[in-house]
Amino acid sequence: AKKIILDCDPGHDDAVAMLLAHANPEIELLGVTTIGGNQTLDKVTHNAQCLATEYGMEGVPIHAGCDRPLLRPVNPAAKEHGESGLDGVVLPEPAPLSEGHAVDFIIDTIMENEPGTVTLVPTGPLTNIAMAVRKEPRIVDRVKEVVLMGGGVHVGNRGPVAEFNIWTDPEAAKIVFNEPWPITMVGLDLTHQALATDEVAKKIADLGGPVADFVLGLFTFFRKAYQDSQGFEFPPVHDPCTVAYLIDPDIVKCVKVPIDVETAPGITNGMTVADFNAPIDETVHTQAAMELDFDGFWSLVVDAIDRVQKSG
Ligand SMILES: Nc1ccc([C@@H]2N[C@H](CO)[C@@H](O)[C@H]2O)cc1
Ligand SMILES: [Ca+2]
């Protein structure tokens, strides 16, 4: 199984990423770390703890991380995720929070495991990852790869070309994208294909059960929020696309391309800039996810719900 650390800001779609990472046998979830983003750090951390209970996740450490970006103020996505960060569902009691900062957990976990065996899966702003790199630069060569939800190629949800996770902390993103580790950017080009349509909801409803109902509750709220805030009929469930790619790389088609981050103020601030004019040689350590196998993706999510309900 692939060992991963999920660095997240739950968040309706982070919640599905956590479910997929916990349930699928191809993934060994070494720990969950949290970052302020969709909501403030205290709220997203509490949400992660409650989700661990909901999914029956035993013994997976949860560590809270940075409570704000490196330079920018926190700008929660309250319209899309609600005041709690997980509006639309009733949350169970929280699982315990582990001692110690997320940045130290990320560093220690990578340094304690064999080189090239731990994958980082950030699905929120990249502050914790940037801080970890600055505190312990040796993690860059030891990490197997970074598969992050964020950015996109000339697409945005915070203005014309910025995506929320990057836009929230562009300086952290610039640090992360400029380290020489392998990065798969699972951006909006890809995740806007991962729509929770009526047919998807029906498959989950047909499964039945408490976790199926929980996920449907997430989707119901997220769908209304997306209709009201971005005019989408169905909500794109961004974050689990990262885990799905790790489970089955054929589910996501990627293109190798140099990617950097714009941190200058102005209309392109927070943009991930893919340079398709550059030569693609072995120095290119970044790739952008562009095409999703819709049915393959959703079958993994339905399977994860089924597995968690069966092991409950
Ligand atoms: N409108 C909006 C939707 C999702 C998000 C969060 N940020 C990323 C998508 O931009 C995902 O990680 C998701 O959790 C932010 C804003
Ligand atoms: Ca997220």
Side-chain angles (χ1 to χ4, degrees):
K2 290 184 182 174
K3 295 178 183 175
I4 77 165
I5 298 171
L6 180 67
D7 185 72
C8 56
D9 59 337
H12 293 69
D13 50 334
D14 304 75
V16 181
M18 208 166 141
L19 171 65
L20 193 49
H22 165 58
N24 190 280
E26 295 294 317
I27 303 291
E28 182 185 349
L29 182 54
L30 298 180
V32 173
T33 52
T34 60
I35 177 69
N38 283 325
Q39 262 300 348
T40 53
L41 178 70
D42 54 327
K43 290 181 178 178
V44 301
T45 303
H46 175 76
N47 291 339
Q49 292 172 253
C50 296
L51 289 167
T53 304
E54 179 69 27
Y55 301 154
M57 281 170 54
E58 303 287 330
V60 178
I62 302 170
H63 291 263
C66 295
D67 69 353
R68 57 158 298 184
L70 299 179
L71 288 177
R72 313 293 168 98
V74 183
N75 240 321
K79 276 210 306 293
E80 293 89 348
H81 296 279
E83 266 320 295
S84 72
L86 262 185
D87 282 17
V89 289
V90 175
L91 290 171
E93 282 308 298
L97 184 63
S98 299
E99 288 293 303
H101 196 285
V103 169
D104 293 322
F105 173 78
I106 290 167
I107 293 168
D108 296 346
T109 303
I110 293 165
M111 299 312 283
E112 283 158 10
N113 280 273
E114 282 302 302
T117 60
V118 177
T119 295
L120 291 180
V121 183
T123 63
L126 291 165
T127 320
N128 289 336
I129 313 302
M131 292 288 283
V133 158
R134 284 291 180 265
K135 184 169 184 189
E136 181 45 86
R138 288 182 299 165
I139 65 169
V140 174
D141 290 338
R142 273 181 93 96
V143 156
K144 184 174 191 299
E145 61 179 321
V146 179
V147 179
L148 62 89
M149 194 280 134
V153 177
H154 205 295
V155 61
N157 59 15
R158 281 294 181 273
V161 289
E163 177 281 324
F164 177 85
N165 289 345
I166 310 296
W167 171 85
T168 297
D169 195 343
E171 287 77 16
K174 192 169 190 70
I175 289 171
V176 172
F177 274 89
N178 283 282
E179 290 300 323
W181 44 16
I183 298 175
T184 299
M185 176 177 79
V186 182
L188 296 177
D189 315 90
L190 193 279
T191 65
H192 278 171
Q193 299 169 50
L195 299 173
T197 59
D198 286 331
E199 67 178 23
V200 166
K202 182 167 177 350
K203 283 203 182 88
I204 296 171
D206 289 350
L207 208 55
V211 178
D213 293 343
F214 183 84
V215 173
L216 287 173
L218 290 174
F219 287 179
T220 302
F221 178 86
F222 208 34
R223 178 173 178 172
K224 178 86 174 57
Y226 249 91
Q227 286 167 344
D228 295 351
S229 66
Q230 294 188 47
F232 282 45
E233 186 184 0
F234 302 117
V237 187
H238 310 272
D239 295 330
C241 294
T242 56
V243 182
Y245 169 70
L246 286 167
I247 293 166
D248 178 359
D250 292 341
I251 282 185
V252 171
K253 294 273 174 286
C254 300
V255 289
K256 273 189 80 156
V257 61
I259 302 170
D260 200 349
V261 179
E262 179 57 86
T263 54
I267 193 167
T268 58
N269 179 257
M271 178 178 185
T272 50
V273 183
D275 181 359
F276 289 104
N277 300 327
I280 304 298
D281 58 27
E282 70 289 337
T283 66
V284 177
H285 62 101
T286 51
Q287 59 177 3
M290 300 306 283
E291 199 182 321
L292 178 71
D293 169 355
F294 181 90
D295 291 338
F297 169 69
W298 283 114
S299 67
L300 286 182
V301 174
V302 172
D303 170 69
I305 297 169
D306 192 38
R307 285 174 184 272
V308 164
Q309 291 187 149
K310 285 200 169 111
S311 67

